[in-house]
Amino acid sequence: MKWPAMGYARVESLDELWRALDAAGPEAQILAGGQSLLATLAFRLSAPSTLIDITRIAALKGVSVAGTVLRIGALTRHADLARDPLVARHAPMLAEAAPLIAHPAIRNRGTIGGSLALADPAAELPACVVALGATLVLASRAGERRVPAADFFQGLFTTALDAGEIITAVEVPVATATSRQTIVEVTRRSGDYAMAGLAAALEVDGGVVTSARLVFFGIGSGAEVARGASAALTGKALSAETIAAAQAALDGDLDPPTDLHGGPEMKRHLARVLIRRALTAYLAPTEQAA
Amino acid sequence: MTTRIDVTLTVNGERVSRSVDTRLHLVDFLRSELGLAGAHTGCEHGVCGACTVRLDGEPVRGCLVMAASLDGAVVETIEGLSDSGEILDLQEAFVARNACQCGYCTPGMLVTAADILTASPQATREEIREHISGNYCRCTGYQAIVDAVEDVLKARAAKREAA
């Protein structure tokens, strides 16, 4: 279907954006990469009065490191995440996640800020930023505020963003020698939304897990932190037994709704499989074979 | 509410200026305003890849880009890629391998395949499959398409070695 009639405004600075938002009223929406938003227009699932194009705002671009924080501008595209050396070094989970998102032509347009603002429960990046303990930098005419990723996502397609507020950047604590981070997912076809996925961030010191954050996607209303499974790993030596304990703890963590892909039992099964796939890679080769 | 926007952009090396409706996506702009009907409209919600064109040097879904947003952009369509000769070998391989079949997905498939030829010239067959996984061929001609792309990758690699 063709898009509905709507207004369009292009802004080149945050000040221009605040003015455009005031002028356009509450039914306006922000257009970044547009790879989800423009598809929803074709489905008539959204009907913005005006799209305000923020893709030319320089302040939202770029990836940099300051001290122990990797700052990723909101307009950073999935294709950029996949090839940026700073991302690969300091947040390898994001570099690993990018190729899992849709297809090359879509990764060339879609942005991290757009994906996080949409908060699709099956999307990779919301789960990643929660697992990584990232902070989202939000801005409005009133100024800037920082919200931990875990508090930013509030449910199905719902975030802590207020009206007139946008994501300007994501701040990720840089990976250290003890960081182990990975993302795994099960899809029917490469690039499709995951039937189930797991973003796993661990700190492993001398073989012992000192902290663990297992975050699932595609199995609930958002980025789902598996608290029991994460706790089952913490303080333990990483082994086949601890992985089994984390799998067992999952039943108390997850209450997956039935979706197009299948029912709760299938989702729970996939979640257990994903824990094994994600964590087995960190075992000693002899244990992996066993 | 402004529903028409003036844009000036470069399409296949030619500068064009138009006043476009904000409802118009890039593929309809190319087809209806410029008469460049090579890029096809398929699903129009970003799934099938028939509308894939090159924007500022990279393949994009033409149905997920607002024409109104394109002021200053550089667009290349299958017509431009054909005229420049950049993908002549790929087009010949598609014919030789019978990888076109009905031809509907072919323009988008060629733009996507051209990307892997330059971005990862050492790509394996599996990587070719992965790269074109966002382009649907409803004749299910994938085997022949992957064969054609693989032929060109190998031929170009041999040519580089000989040089």
Side-chain angles (χ1 to χ4, degrees):
Chain A
M1 207 187 299
K2 302 298 179 189
W3 299 338
M6 66 200 147
Y8 171 84
R10 186 188 302 136
V11 295
E12 301 201 0
S13 70
L14 288 173
D15 281 338
E16 267 186 58
L17 171 62
W18 313 139
R19 283 197 294 276
L21 280 167
D22 283 346
E27 302 303 315
Q29 283 196 44
I30 305 280
L31 175 70
Q35 299 303 282
S36 298
L37 176 55
L38 295 176
T40 67
L41 294 183
F43 282 122
R44 300 297 168 94
L45 291 171
S46 64
S49 59
T50 298
L51 289 179
I52 303 180
D53 182 346
I54 60 167
T55 53
R56 298 179 193 220
I57 301 180
L60 304 180
K61 295 183 181 173
V63 177
S64 58
V65 179
T68 57
V69 172
L70 174 73
R71 186 182 192 279
I72 301 171
L75 288 176
T76 304
R77 305 169 307 158
H78 309 320
D80 300 327
L81 286 180
R83 62 186 168 220
D84 188 298
L86 290 176
V87 173
R89 180 164 168 208
H90 298 295
M93 178 192 288
L94 295 176
E96 216 181 311
L100 303 179
I101 303 169
H103 307 285
I106 289 169
R107 296 199 285 270
N108 284 336
R109 297 288 288 178
T111 66
I112 187 168
S115 173
L116 299 179
L118 179 64
D120 189 309
E124 288 83 358
L125 294 179
C128 288
V129 296
V130 173
L132 294 174
T135 299
L136 273 62
V137 186
L138 313 182
S140 67
R141 182 189 280 286
E144 210 173 73
R145 66 181 177 123
R146 283 175 161 71
V147 178
D151 300 332
F152 179 78
F153 300 104
Q154 300 184 335
L156 193 65
F157 295 107
T158 310
T159 71
L161 276 173
D162 290 331
E165 198 172 40
I166 65 160
I167 300 171
T168 57
V170 185
E171 293 179 345
V172 186
V174 299
T176 65
T178 56
S179 303
R180 304 284 181 275
Q181 35 182 279
T182 191
I183 179 168
V184 285
E185 64 178 35
V186 179
T187 56
R188 288 191 192 276
R189 175 186 68 140
S190 170
D192 280 355
Y193 278 112
M195 299 162 75
L198 167 62
L202 274 62
E203 295 293 322
V204 181
D205 203 350
V208 175
V209 179
T210 55
S211 84
R213 221 184 270 115
L214 304 183
V215 185
F216 285 92
F217 53 98
I219 55 147
S221 58
E224 307 276 327
V225 183
R227 293 182 201 288
S230 301
L233 295 167
T234 311
K236 309 279 169 50
L238 201 53
S239 68
E241 289 74 35
T242 23
I243 292 173
Q247 288 174 312
L250 258 190
D251 284 346
D253 288 332
L254 304 179
D255 185 16
T258 296
D259 66 14
L260 287 172
H261 299 299
E265 244 342 284
M266 190 196 77
K267 297 274 182 177
R268 283 203 189 91
H269 169 74
L270 292 177
R272 287 190 288 268
V273 169
L274 289 170
I275 284 196
R276 178 172 50 75
R277 286 186 189 168
L279 302 187
T280 301
Y282 300 135
L283 296 178
T286 47
E287 280 192 79
Q288 285 184 30
Chain B
M1 183 167 78
T2 315
T3 57
R4 292 200 81 81
I5 301 284
D6 293 334
V7 292
T8 297
L9 62 159
T10 305
V11 180
N12 298 334
E14 282 181 39
R15 209 171 146 84
V16 297
S17 294
R18 290 287 189 284
S19 167
V20 297
D21 196 308
T22 52
R23 294 185 62 188
L24 206 60
H25 55 55
L26 170 55
V27 185
D28 278 351
F29 171 71
L30 293 169
R31 294 175 63 89
S32 62
E33 296 282 333
L34 304 183
L36 294 168
H40 290 156
T41 42
C43 69
E44 291 194 288
H45 55 259
V47 174
C48 78
C51 64
T52 308
V53 295
R54 213 183 259 177
L55 171 59
D56 294 329
E58 295 173 319
V60 301
R61 294 282 202 252
C63 73
L64 294 184
V65 176
M66 289 180 87
S69 72
L70 289 175
D71 196 51
V74 175
V75 174
E76 289 162 277
T77 68
I78 190 64
E79 290 90 344
L81 293 182
S82 297
D83 290 350
S84 73
E86 179 194 325
I87 57 165
L88 180 62
D89 53 352
L90 189 61
Q91 289 166 309
E92 285 173 349
F94 264 59
V95 173
R97 288 288 193 170
N98 191 28
C100 297
Q101 303 207 50
C102 88
Y104 201 84
C105 74
T106 308
M109 203 63 92
L110 286 168
V111 174
T112 302
D115 185 49
I116 195 172
L117 290 174
T118 51
S120 42
Q122 314 289 329
T124 61
R125 195 171 171 87
E126 208 42 51
E127 286 164 343
I128 296 169
R129 284 191 175 281
E130 169 76 27
H131 198 81
I132 63 163
S133 63
N135 289 65
Y136 281 176
C137 164
R138 301 198 70 169
C139 314
T140 70
Y142 297 104
Q143 202 71 13
I145 292 167
V146 177
D147 288 343
V149 178
E150 197 179 26
D151 283 352
V152 176
L153 274 170
K154 284 181 179 161
R156 288 194 184 184
K159 207 170 164 188
R160 274 196 308 276
E161 262 175 45

